[in-house]
Amino acid sequence: MMESLIVPESQCNDSVEEVKKRKISLENCGTCGTGEAKYRCPRCLKRSCSLSCVKKHKSESGCSGVRDKTAFVPVSKFDEFNLLSDYRFLEDTSRLADSAQRDPCILRPQTPKYAKVLRQQAFRLNLQLKLLPPGFSKRRENSTFYHKKQGLFFWHLKLLFPQSSAEYTERRVADNQTLQQILAPYIHPTESEPVRRQRLKVYTHAPPHHVKVFMKAENRRSNAVRYHELDLQKTLRDNLRFKVVIEYPVIHIVLQNQCENYALLSQESRAGPGVSVATRPVLPSDKGKDEPSNARVIRTAPSGGGNNGDDDDEEEEGEIRDEEDAREG
């Protein structure tokens, strides 16, 4: 008896579908009014009997036939179908927002008007100012602006004191001030702020001529870092001329005994590319000669193409001759 009461699940599903179809077919078509309703509009729930009636319904009423995914559904009628519909609606919204962010028109870098003014005015002062994209932190914290009436740059400055492991930020620093005036509130023995003076006592106790100021030379490889040495007596504008600045200047204040850690760009340009400086070893037979010890040997890079086998036997220009050739001379 118990086995005869069990109904297969497939038959249950079929019976539910038949009941739904029967409910629809109990009404006549809402467009022609004669045919038995077979379809229902997902948006306005109006019954139709054929495809021609569906098209006629859309053309006359202006109904799009697309279900309103944001329509209100009472809690008593909320079922799994509505839950799945809301989930898919959120997925479509997320997909649309992601595709909008990938739009080439949005991703195209747009330079603001004030950024163009900064670069144009910097170019007039023989300064190459480069600005980073909006996502960089250095771009966000930069407060540099140009005052058109006064004709001055008001720079965002970062001051680094490596001997005291200190870092300070100055905003709205006029470019007509000298570096000595800018650094006075930090390292001046009497005019500086007491808290800064205590932290930077290594600089305040040092003689003024022992304080050196450097700025990193930009647009160089990471393994070839070089610096510009700035003049404390000159204005910030004069010190930045003919240099490259990315967003804002970063100034290193160093004592004289630590200057060897800051290789200057002028020293590299003076040596020139392709020129290597070597030191001739001191031989025992060189004692008593007029030639100074540790004589420097200058070797220039060959200007031609390939090297022949006899190039090693030929004497290069500027090379000091060996001991036997010197005796023959």
Side-chain angles (χ1 to χ4, degrees):
M1 292 295 293
M2 295 297 294
E3 293 180 357
S4 62
L5 296 177
I6 298 176
V7 180
E9 185 179 356
S10 59
Q11 294 182 7
C12 291
N13 294 335
D14 295 340
S15 61
V16 171
E17 294 293 333
E18 290 178 359
V19 171
K20 289 182 179 179
K21 291 180 179 179
R22 184 60 183 168
K23 286 182 178 179
I24 297 176
S25 62
L26 290 176
E27 299 182 10
N28 292 332
C29 177
T31 303
C32 63
T34 57
E36 187 178 296
K38 298 180 181 179
Y39 312 105
R40 184 172 57 184
C41 179
R43 188 170 186 88
C44 63
L45 304 180
K46 188 174 183 179
R47 267 72 174 183
S48 301
C49 64
S50 60
L51 181 60
S52 59
C53 289
V54 171
K55 293 181 178 179
K56 185 178 180 181
H57 156 65
K58 289 183 178 180
S59 61
E60 290 179 354
S61 62
C63 180
S64 62
V66 180
R67 185 177 62 86
D68 186 9
K69 298 180 181 180
T70 61
F72 174 76
V73 178
V75 179
S76 59
K77 296 183 179 180
F78 195 85
D79 54 5
E80 294 181 359
F81 176 78
N82 299 115
L83 178 62
L84 182 61
S85 175
D86 292 346
Y87 180 75
R88 290 176 177 173
F89 176 72
L90 295 176
E91 281 188 334
D92 294 340
T93 305
S94 177
R95 190 181 301 110
L96 181 62
D98 183 68
S99 61
Q101 291 179 356
R102 298 173 183 269
D103 191 352
C105 296
I106 299 177
L107 296 178
R108 186 180 303 164
Q110 298 179 358
T111 305
K113 183 178 180 180
Y114 75 93
K116 294 181 180 179
V117 173
L118 284 178
R119 289 191 295 191
Q120 291 174 359
Q121 297 300 328
F123 180 77
R124 293 178 57 187
L125 300 177
N126 297 321
L127 168 64
Q128 187 177 359
L129 178 63
K130 294 190 174 183
L131 301 177
L132 298 173
F136 286 78
S137 58
K138 199 172 183 180
R139 172 89 281 266
R140 293 196 302 266
E141 66 185 11
N142 188 9
S143 60
T144 303
F145 69 96
Y146 180 77
H147 200 286
K148 188 174 181 181
K149 292 184 178 179
Q150 298 182 13
L152 297 175
F153 264 96
F154 287 85
W155 288 99
H156 180 104
L157 286 182
K158 182 173 288 188
L159 306 177
L160 303 180
F161 298 86
Q163 273 68 50
S164 297
S165 301
E167 177 180 325
Y168 296 96
T169 300
E170 283 285 338
R171 292 176 174 84
R172 298 188 176 186
V173 180
D175 63 352
N176 59 353
Q177 297 185 34
T178 63
L179 291 181
Q180 191 172 8
Q181 294 174 345
I182 297 173
L183 297 178
Y186 293 90
I187 61 176
H188 195 276
T190 58
E191 298 179 2
S192 59
E193 187 182 351
V195 178
R196 295 176 181 173
R197 188 189 314 161
Q198 178 62 25
R199 186 176 182 182
L200 304 175
K201 59 183 178 181
V202 180
Y203 293 89
T204 56
H205 294 166
H209 62 278
H210 284 186
V211 179
K212 304 294 181 181
V213 181
F214 299 94
M215 188 179 74
K216 183 180 177 181
E218 303 293 348
N219 291 344
R220 295 184 59 83
R221 298 188 303 271
S222 58
N223 59 348
V225 179
R226 293 294 182 272
Y227 293 87
H228 300 287
E229 185 174 4
L230 308 182
D231 193 347
L232 285 168
Q233 306 301 326
K234 291 184 178 181
T235 61
L236 183 60
R237 174 182 296 186
D238 294 337
N239 279 296
L240 295 180
R241 274 201 174 100
F242 307 107
K243 295 178 178 64
V244 179
V245 175
I246 298 179
E247 289 293 340
Y248 54 82
V250 180
I251 298 177
H252 301 253
I253 298 91
V254 186
L255 295 179
Q256 190 173 8
N257 56 357
Q258 299 292 331
C259 290
E260 64 271 6
N261 299 329
Y262 293 82
L264 298 179
L265 182 64
S266 58
Q267 296 176 354
E268 182 184 57
S269 59
R270 196 177 301 138
V275 179
S276 60
V277 181
T279 304
R280 180 177 180 268
V282 180
L283 302 177
S285 57
D286 292 339
K287 295 181 180 180
K289 294 185 178 180
D290 296 336
E291 183 181 322
S293 60
N294 295 335
R296 296 169 64 85
V297 182
I298 307 299
R299 295 183 175 89
T300 58
S303 59
N307 295 331
N308 299 326
D310 298 333
D311 290 344
D312 297 334
D313 299 332
E314 294 179 1
E315 182 179 294
E316 297 179 352
E317 181 181 359
E319 183 178 359
I320 298 179
R321 308 173 69 185
D322 57 8
E323 182 181 0
E324 296 180 359
D325 295 339
R327 291 179 180 175
E328 292 177 2

